[in-house]
Amino acid sequence: MSNTKYTYAVARIRALEVSLFSDAVIEQLLACRTADEALRFVMEKGWGDVSGDADMDAVLKREEEKTWEVIRDVAPDMKVFDVLSYPKLYHNLKAAVKEVCTEKQTPGIFYDDCDIPGGEMLRIIENREFSRLPGNMGRVAEEALDTLLHTRDGQLCDVMIDKAALEAIYEAGKRSGEPIIENYADTTVAIADIKIAVRSRKTGKSGDFMRSAMAECRSVNAEQLIRAALSGEEEIARYLEGTSYAGGADALRESPSAFERWCDNRMIETLKTQKYETFSVGPLLGYLIARENEIKTVRIILTGKQNGFPDDAVRERIREMYV
């Protein structure tokens, strides 16, 4: 099939890209004096629903939903976006396993804009219909449920499901047959592994713990990363200097939040080149990540204002914009 199948989708995305927030708009948002004023500012830019309530979480959730509505509307093939929908799918699994084990119901913890919405996931886990879950997910669901019921160790359960999510993302990247999606999936797993190494170092976790949490990928070597983490934070930075994440080493030496910001910015940088493609899935992926990045940035600013953080403290956590 020729690549013209993406021409219409890319044209639609181009038209939408102009409404993405620029650095200048983010500066205006930062200049708002209160959280309410900042929320009104984004709502005047069309965020949330006209009839909806002015509640930060509701507005941001609605923006996420709108983004996926656009992609579903224009994408010729949704399978290539599995890479991006898996985090929500596996979040629903994690939440369902916990609800079934604790028999407590927490409102609003599920995502409904993914292949298996919260209510359905909960029924699958309650009835132990693991075969209804895609790929390896059924096996992981069964293991996680057994683990939580027998050990009551919530962290162990989280680690199992998070690792399975990373493995699913990596496999979906390879399966997509799209180099940009494969690269995105590889980077996602590598960055997750690096963050696990950094956190494990800080909390004194063992090599075995890290092995149970990290997923294999192309651009970092999990074993070398674990060895570095066991030797100290400086060793992690040194290991990164020999990989394609060398820029993250300096950010890591600066602070954990600088490193997190560097990770997100690197992803945006990788995707900026896709803006100029016309016959590929690249611009759609770029737009999706750009919107996620934008929503995350607005959340950081609004939360900062709600909690009375100084602008400088908020600014150092802000992500680079796509436009």
Side-chain angles (χ1 to χ4, degrees):
M1 172 146 188
S2 80
N3 264 343
T4 50
K5 65 178 180 176
Y6 278 109
T7 321
Y8 164 73
V10 171
R12 279 281 307 274
I13 292 297
R14 288 273 152 77
L16 289 166
E17 271 179 5
V18 296
S19 60
L20 286 167
F21 287 177
S22 62
D23 290 332
V25 173
I26 293 298
E27 279 302 322
Q28 284 176 280
L29 184 59
L30 263 173
C32 294
R33 285 187 303 278
T34 63
D36 286 344
E37 193 184 316
L39 188 58
R40 267 201 312 279
F41 176 85
V42 296
M43 288 176 81
E44 279 161 15
K45 297 266 183 204
W47 282 44
D49 274 331
V50 184
S51 57
D53 56 351
D55 165 72
M56 175 178 94
D57 289 327
V59 168
L60 297 181
K61 190 168 189 222
R62 184 65 197 115
E63 285 309 300
E64 277 185 29
E65 287 165 2
K66 282 187 205 169
T67 308
W68 279 98
E69 281 160 17
V70 165
I71 296 294
R72 278 195 199 96
D73 193 29
V74 304
D77 174 16
M78 278 306 288
K79 285 311 286 173
V80 293
F81 293 102
D82 281 352
V83 158
L84 280 152
S85 63
Y86 280 160
K88 289 185 175 179
L89 193 59
Y90 278 82
H91 166 90
N92 280 356
L93 172 60
K94 208 191 286 191
V97 166
K98 286 193 174 158
E99 294 238 318
V100 169
C101 284
T102 58
E103 295 173 1
K104 276 198 202 83
Q105 290 191 336
T106 317
I109 61 164
F110 289 112
Y111 288 109
D112 288 327
D113 56 340
C114 60
D115 280 353
I116 304 174
E120 192 186 334
M121 182 70 83
L122 193 56
R123 282 190 297 280
I124 289 173
I125 302 301
E126 276 174 341
N127 303 325
R128 293 175 168 57
E129 298 173 277
F130 302 116
S131 60
R132 286 180 56 199
L133 297 170
N136 249 339
M137 204 174 188
R139 181 183 58 74
V140 175
E142 189 170 4
E143 279 178 21
L145 187 64
D146 282 349
T147 300
L148 195 54
L149 285 169
H150 289 118
T151 66
R152 293 288 166 192
D153 185 340
Q155 191 192 28
L156 185 59
C157 171
D158 284 352
V159 164
M160 289 168 78
I161 296 175
D162 288 342
K163 179 177 184 168
L166 291 174
E167 289 171 343
I169 287 166
Y170 191 67
E171 284 309 310
K174 287 208 291 213
R175 215 173 39 239
S176 72
E178 297 276 358
I180 184 65
I181 299 240
E182 207 172 321
N183 182 20
Y184 172 81
D186 182 67
T187 305
T188 301
V189 176
I191 285 173
D193 284 350
I194 295 165
K195 285 180 180 173
I196 289 164
V198 172
R199 273 202 302 272
S200 298
R201 174 66 206 164
K202 283 206 170 5
T203 52
K205 292 277 191 283
S206 68
D208 284 342
F209 172 85
M210 289 185 254
R211 258 173 227 109
S212 69
M214 288 181 188
E216 293 295 328
C217 68
R218 197 179 59 236
S219 53
V220 296
N221 179 313
E223 273 307 315
Q224 287 178 328
L225 196 51
I226 291 167
R227 274 206 299 279
L230 292 172
S231 305
E233 200 161 311
E234 178 53 32
E235 287 302 315
I236 302 176
R238 245 183 243 146
Y239 168 70
L240 292 183
E241 284 173 341
T243 70
S244 56
Y245 304 95
D250 288 338
L252 186 58
R253 290 183 179 110
E254 193 186 317
S255 73
S257 67
F259 177 70
E260 297 246 345
R261 191 183 63 220
W262 178 85
C263 292
D264 287 348
N265 288 347
R266 186 181 187 281
M267 204 66 102
I268 287 287
E269 281 303 318
T270 306
L271 290 163
K272 272 185 179 173
T273 56
Q274 296 301 308
K275 271 202 264 189
Y276 312 105
E277 299 281 334
T278 311
F279 304 117
S280 83
V281 70
L284 279 66
L285 180 71
Y287 178 74
L288 249 176
I289 304 295
R291 281 291 277 147
E292 280 186 0
N293 186 51
E294 178 179 65
I295 293 164
K296 187 186 280 185
T297 299
V298 170
R299 186 186 294 282
I300 287 169
I301 295 172
L302 292 176
T303 311
K305 293 202 177 291
Q306 275 177 348
N307 293 307
F309 294 149
D311 284 354
D312 287 347
V314 176
R315 189 178 270 106
E316 72 173 27
R317 297 190 58 209
I318 286 177
R319 278 40 183 176
E320 200 169 293
M321 292 292 114
Y322 185 67
V323 289

